[in-house]
Amino acid sequence: MGQITPINAARPKVLEFFAGIGLARMGLESAGFRVAWANDYEPDKKAMYDAQFPHSDEHAFALGDVGKVKVADLPRDAALAWASSPCTDLSLAGGRAGLAGAQSGTFWHFIRLLKELNDDSPEVVVLENVTGLATSHGGDDLSAAIRAFNDLGYSVDVLAMDARRFLPQSRPRLFLVGAKNPPEDVAEPNSELRPDWLQWVYGDKSLRTHRAKLPAPPAPKLEGLGEMVEEMSGDDERWWGAERTEAFVSSLSPLQRERVASLRRGSGVKYRTAYRRTRGGVAVWEVRPDDISGCLRTARGGSSKQAVVRLGNKRLQVRWMTPREYARLMGAGDYDLSAARNNQALFGFGDAVAVPAVEWLGQHYLMPMVKGTMARAVVTERASVQ
């Protein structure tokens, strides 16, 4: 009689495409998975990845262009493939070239490798990207992505989830979950995870989709930024000097200036975040009105870096947000930053997926599907050996 492997004998293996600094890995492994292989093309991100995760003979990292990855390099027994493909060509900050763009188009190499795995392709796949994927080229890019998964035998569910449900940061993202053996479709009313603007996906009869039954996610946070801020004295050299701070205040609109002045006069200390934007060809600062961080971005220039504003007790101080604060706002407060340069860390976190969002998806959706498939495989194996 053949030996039947217990369902919980091992943590299901994952292929991690476009791994960045490994935040998806952190979330997936917290949910019970084990990342066995990863890929990214940026040496600076791999350096941070290597510092965070101890070397293991059970894990391989392929540094370089995903277009040069060969199927022979991939483990053949992975249960899940995760891809946080570049969003540059899909985001508002990019050129909106969509999936045909040079960076976001790397998605097609992910599809190629899944196809070349043939019968060894994972039971479950996930594509994580910005919500702009849903409207890119009038929805054609999202349809094309779903059809690509359909052609490989996957039914697709599409979820919209904001990291703000877990962290004090506004960071909406789209998750395409593909399954070879999807759960029973639940034709539920529009939910928090499948809002009105995604419903057209399920109404398109040319697409093979499903809607898994999921618990309600946590309610969006309304506060908590102050808990993420690094403690530092008022005379720390990272706070801007008087001249630079005055220039910051002078650039604010009258409405924002009055809001900031009111917070400054108040008792106690409050924190807000600010971005530099161009309005009418003029660079200005805009301060968020709430106790939530704006969406962290890749720090390629000053306009993409976020500032922290400390207000109260008749004082106002401004400085750049620190790498540790970026890490905390991504749910990776203990991330090893010992060898990372400042901008290297800001870029790595700004280009990543929030850890608790991945963990929630892993616990409530991905792991139950994978274990369900493994359970059916055990039943089939038992029947075949009897």
Side-chain angles (χ1 to χ4, degrees), residues 5 66 76 88 127 130 138 174-175 200 235 261 291 310 351:
T5 303
V66 68
R76 311 296 286 196
T88 306
L127 173 67
V130 295
L174 207 64
F175 298 87
W200 65 269
D235 59 358
D291 192 29
R310 180 178 178 175
D351 203 26

Side-chain angles (χ1 to χ4, degrees), residues 123-147:
E123 285 289 326
V124 180
V125 295
V126 179
L127 173 67
E128 178 263 333
N129 214 294
V130 295
T131 55
L133 175 58
T135 55
S136 179
H137 293 112
D140 287 349
D141 282 343
L142 179 55
S143 294
I146 294 173
R147 286 195 181 91

Side-chain angles (χ1 to χ4, degrees), residues 51-83:
Q52 175 65 21
F53 303 103
H55 172 75
S56 169
D57 292 336
E58 296 183 340
H59 179 274
F61 194 112
L63 176 64
D65 185 352
V66 68
K68 296 181 180 179
V69 173
K70 295 179 173 57
V71 71
D73 301 330
L74 305 178
R76 311 296 286 196
D77 55 350
L80 169 68
W82 180 284

Side-chain angles (χ1 to χ4, degrees), residues 179-191:
K180 290 184 179 178
N181 297 284
E184 181 181 358
D185 184 71
V186 180
E188 59 184 12
N190 298 7
S191 69

Side-chain angles (χ1 to χ4, degrees), residues 63 70 77 84-85 87 122 254 257 364-365:
L63 176 64
K70 295 179 173 57
D77 55 350
S84 292
S85 62
C87 63
R257 201 175 305 166
H364 297 288
Y365 199 160

Side-chain angles (χ1 to χ4, degrees), residues 15-18 37-40 62 64-76 78 81-83 105-122 125 148-149 152 154 180:
L15 307 178
E16 185 187 21
F17 291 83
F18 316 104
W37 179 92
N39 159 260
D40 202 273
D65 185 352
V66 68
K68 296 181 180 179
V69 173
K70 295 179 173 57
V71 71
D73 301 330
L74 305 178
R76 311 296 286 196
W82 180 284
T106 53
F107 163 78
W108 297 110
H109 289 295
F110 173 54
I111 293 296
R112 169 185 62 81
L113 289 165
L114 291 176
K115 183 176 181 180
E116 291 177 358
L117 279 169
N118 295 315
D119 294 338
D120 292 326
S121 59
V125 295
F149 287 126
L152 297 178
Y154 297 98
K180 290 184 179 178

